[in-house]
């Protein structure tokens, strides 16, 4: 084994840690207070909140993609990837909800205001929880994989009604619309920190995804081996019984 | 084979379900009693209060949602419990089976609406009722309710028998956008504010879109879970 293959991953992880630390420090110290918000100093959380939301969507998209692949190829590994990515989507959605609630407390006066986007993310969380509840209810791995893939794709179709259509059909939203995209809304430095955060969290997602998939694959192989071994014992017992 | 065969299969699945239902009246009885008892509870609790039309619209859809959910889950579970599902898999194309079941559930939702909505209007009368708008909301919302729950019912029937709590958990987040849009549209049917009328008419289009999208998706996905 060469030194590069041994230390390569470690160097990558350290670089990722430094990047995430840098975005955190920059978010608190380097960024100017955001004008245009009721509490300019407290609006810095935007640079943590928005990247979490973007990576949560990314993870959900990857999960839906592997659900489609599973239904086409019926390969257990694709089901594993889909469920791992849904788990990470749940994690990042939780982080989005929590950072959003802190933002809401400082800007709008309450942690929870039933803003259309808050309703939407609550429903997203419920869908993720329902997905795992469905998985827990099925014992047969093949059946569990196809049922949860079908549910995931069915939910993916329903979600745009909540996240895009419904918030835009009411005018009662508190959410800053397009503040981040407009030229005069936020300082340009926000964009840099925000996209650095997206990059860092995406890399973190990738790392967590690969570790969990590797773990799941090992687990799958182990249960298969135990299953096969127990079948062998039964078969031998039957043979012994037959000889008697 | 072909389209003719498909239509005959779908029709006979629907007719068989209707006959079984009319023989036992299990789902119909459960759903109607559920709707009526919740309606009585709500109207008794609110007897001395003045209720805004927004609240009335929300109450109407909560009653319809939970009443419908308590009956709609049965269609596929019944086949699995009776052991008739494998035979159905062999004798009819998957999408035809789904179409028959969907039609039955739409009929069930309409039956619930026919009984509980007039009762609701009598017990908790709104300020004004725009009947055209209300009829449109009930029609399109009912189809949407049936389309999503039929697919989830198929999932749950495959997952396990008798875990009815799971059906609520799994169906609820998918049905929520539909219910929120339907409530918004019903508010327009219950009061005389022009802006609410305009919004309600746009919401009718959204309800139709929801039903169309969810029905199409469930037809595409059903084959994958039915033959497994």
């Amino acid at each position: 084994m060469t030194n590069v293959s041994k230390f390569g991953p470690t160097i990558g992880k350290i670089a990722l840690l430094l990047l995430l630390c840098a975005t955190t420090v920059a978010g608190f110290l380097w960024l100017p207070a955001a004008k245009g918000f009721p509490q300019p100093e407290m609006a810095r959380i935007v640079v943590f909140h928005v990247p979490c939301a973007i990576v949560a969507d990314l993870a959900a998209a990857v999960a839906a993609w592997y659900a489609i692949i599973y239904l086409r190829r019926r390969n257990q590994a694709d089901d594993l990837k889909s469920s791992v990515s849904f788990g990470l989507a749940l994690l990042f959605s939780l982080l989005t909800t929590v950072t959003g609630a802190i933002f809401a407390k400082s800007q709008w006066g309450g942690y929870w205001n039933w803003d259309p986007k808050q309703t939407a993310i609550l429903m997203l969380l419920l869908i993720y929880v329902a997905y795992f509840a469905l998985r827990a209810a099925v014992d047969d791995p093949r059946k569990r994989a196809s049922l949860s893939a079908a549910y995931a794709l069915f939910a993916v179709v329903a979600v745009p009604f909540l996240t895009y259509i419904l918030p835009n059909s009411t005018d009662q939203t508190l959410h800053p619309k397009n503040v981040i995209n407009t030229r005069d809304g936020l300082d340009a430095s926000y964009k840099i920190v925000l996209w650095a955060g997206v990059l860092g969290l995406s890399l973190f997602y990738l790392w967590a995804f690969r570790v969990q998939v590797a773990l799941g694959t090992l687990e799958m192989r182990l249960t298969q081996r135990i299953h096969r071994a127990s079948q062998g014992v039964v078969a031998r017992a039957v043979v012994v019984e037959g000889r008697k | 084979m072909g389209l003719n065969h498909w239509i005959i299969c779908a029709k006979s699945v629907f007719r068989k379900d209707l006959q079984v239902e009319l023989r036992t009246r299990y789902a119909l009885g459960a759903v109607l009693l559920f709707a009526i008892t919740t309606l009585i509870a709500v109207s008794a609790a609110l007897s001395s209060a003045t209720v805004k039309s927004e609240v009335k619209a929300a109450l109407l859809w909560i009653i319809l949602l939970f009443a419908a959910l308590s009956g709609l889950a049965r269609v596929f579970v019944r086949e699995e419990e009776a052991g008739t599902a494998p035979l159905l898999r062999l004798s009819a194309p998957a999408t035809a089976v789904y179409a028959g079941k969907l039609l039955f559930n739409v009929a069930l939702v309409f039956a619930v609406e026919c009984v509980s909505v007039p009762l609701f209007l009598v017990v908790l009368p709104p300020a004004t009722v725009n009947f055209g708008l209300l009829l449109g909301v009930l029609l399109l919302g009912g189809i949407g309710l049936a389309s999503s729950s039929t697919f989830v019912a198929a999932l749950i029937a495959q997952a396990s028998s008798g875990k009815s709590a799971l059906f609520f958990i799994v169906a609820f987040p998918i049905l929520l956008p539909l219910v929120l849009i339907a409530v918004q549209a019903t508010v327009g049917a219950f009061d005389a504010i022009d802006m609410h009328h305009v919004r309600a008419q746009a919401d009718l289009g959204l309800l139709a879109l929801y039903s169309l999208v969810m029905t199409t998706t469930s037809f595409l996905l059903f084959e994958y879970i039915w033959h497994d």
Side-chain angles (χ1 to χ4, degrees), chain A residues 70-72 74 119 123 126-127 129-131 133-134 136-139 142-143 146-151 153-155 157-158 161-162 165-166 169-172, chain B residues 147-148 151-152 154-156 158-160 163 166 169-174 176-177 180-181 184 195 199 203 206 209-210 213-214 217-218 221 224-225 227-228:
Chain A
Y70 174 79
L71 287 180
R72 290 192 71 112
R74 304 275 171 174
T119 316
M123 288 310 115
L126 277 182
I127 287 177
V129 174
Y131 173 87
L134 182 65
V138 191
D139 294 327
R142 270 183 58 87
K143 202 165 230 183
S146 59
L147 289 185
S148 52
Y151 179 65
L153 293 177
F154 197 61
V157 174
F161 281 92
L162 268 175
I165 296 173
L166 205 60
S169 85
T170 61
D171 42 349
Q172 304 159 337
Chain B
S147 61
S148 287
F151 184 74
V152 176
L155 276 180
I156 298 303
Q158 298 278 310
S160 54
K163 282 181 183 160
L166 193 66
I169 297 168
V170 172
F172 181 71
I174 301 219
L176 200 90
L180 289 180
I181 297 170
Q184 216 179 62
M195 205 194 78
R199 199 176 61 185
D203 285 340
L206 285 184
L209 185 68
Y210 177 92
V213 167
M214 297 321 272
T217 315
S218 44
L221 288 173
Y224 290 106
I225 54 169
H227 288 297
D228 199 54

Side-chain angles (χ1 to χ4, degrees), chain B:
Chain B
M1 299 309 251
L3 189 65
N4 242 351
H5 175 72
W6 190 90
I7 291 172
I8 290 169
C9 285
K11 227 192 270 177
S12 42
V13 168
F14 173 64
R15 204 182 304 141
K16 188 221 73 172
D17 268 355
L18 206 63
Q19 256 169 17
V20 171
E21 183 52 46
L22 289 178
R23 212 175 285 154
T24 60
R25 292 190 204 88
Y26 172 81
L28 206 61
V31 168
L32 286 181
L33 282 177
F34 190 99
I36 291 168
T37 43
T38 40
L39 195 59
I40 290 170
V42 165
S43 65
L46 296 173
S47 58
S48 59
T50 48
V51 186
K52 278 171 42 178
S53 60
E54 276 95 339
V55 181
K56 278 179 187 157
L59 284 174
L60 175 64
W61 276 98
I62 289 170
I63 292 171
L64 283 179
L65 172 71
F66 283 95
L69 282 185
S70 63
L72 295 179
R74 291 282 306 162
V75 273
F76 284 102
V77 173
R78 191 162 52 205
E79 302 285 353
E80 298 289 340
E81 277 175 1
T84 47
L87 206 64
L88 204 57
R89 278 193 190 100
L90 291 175
S91 53
T95 46
V97 173
Y98 189 77
K101 299 281 184 193
L102 178 62
L103 271 182
F104 174 74
N105 268 352
V106 170
L108 190 64
V109 172
F110 284 162
V112 178
E113 286 179 344
C114 280
V115 176
S116 53
V117 175
L119 263 179
F120 184 90
L121 293 180
V122 169
V123 179
L124 288 167
T128 56
V129 183
N130 185 335
F131 278 104
L133 210 51
L134 184 63
L135 217 61
V137 176
L138 290 176
L139 194 76
L140 292 169
I143 293 172
L145 201 59
S147 61
S148 287
S149 358
T150 308
F151 184 74
V152 176
L155 276 180
I156 298 303
Q158 298 278 310
S160 54
S161 54
K163 282 181 183 160
S164 58
L166 193 66
F167 178 72
F168 279 86
I169 297 168
V170 172
F172 181 71
I174 301 219
L175 284 171
L176 200 90
L178 172 88
V179 172
L180 289 180
I181 297 170
V183 168
Q184 216 179 62
T186 311
V187 171
F190 277 1
D191 61 22
I193 301 169
D194 277 341
M195 205 194 78
H196 286 177
H197 279 298
V198 175
R199 199 176 61 185
Q201 275 155 11
D203 285 340
L204 282 187
L206 285 184
L207 286 177
L209 185 68
Y210 177 92
S211 307
L212 192 70
V213 167
M214 297 321 272
T215 310
T216 312
T217 315
S218 44
F219 270 105
L220 287 174
L221 288 173
F222 181 68
E223 223 154 327
Y224 290 106
I225 54 169
W226 182 240
H227 288 297
D228 199 54

Side-chain angles (χ1 to χ4, degrees), chain A residues 161-237:
Chain A
F161 281 92
L162 268 175
T163 49
Y164 296 107
I165 296 173
L166 205 60
N168 291 327
S169 85
T170 61
D171 42 349
Q172 304 159 337
T173 180
L174 295 163
H175 247 85
K177 262 187 193 163
N178 299 325
V179 169
I180 290 151
N181 299 326
T182 48
R183 235 170 284 148
D184 50 314
L186 278 176
D187 202 89
S189 52
Y190 268 81
K191 235 180 231 177
I192 298 168
V193 178
L194 199 141
W195 286 109
V198 171
L199 179 69
L201 287 182
S202 302
L203 289 173
F204 174 79
Y205 159 76
L206 204 66
W207 173 64
F209 178 76
R210 288 182 57 183
V211 168
Q212 281 195 48
V213 167
L215 188 67
T217 312
L218 281 178
E219 216 170 292
M220 227 154 62
R221 254 186 237 158
L222 201 64
T223 45
Q224 269 169 8
R225 192 170 291 175
I226 291 169
H227 187 66
R228 223 176 289 143
S230 65
Q231 270 181 340
V233 169
V234 172
R236 243 173 279 143

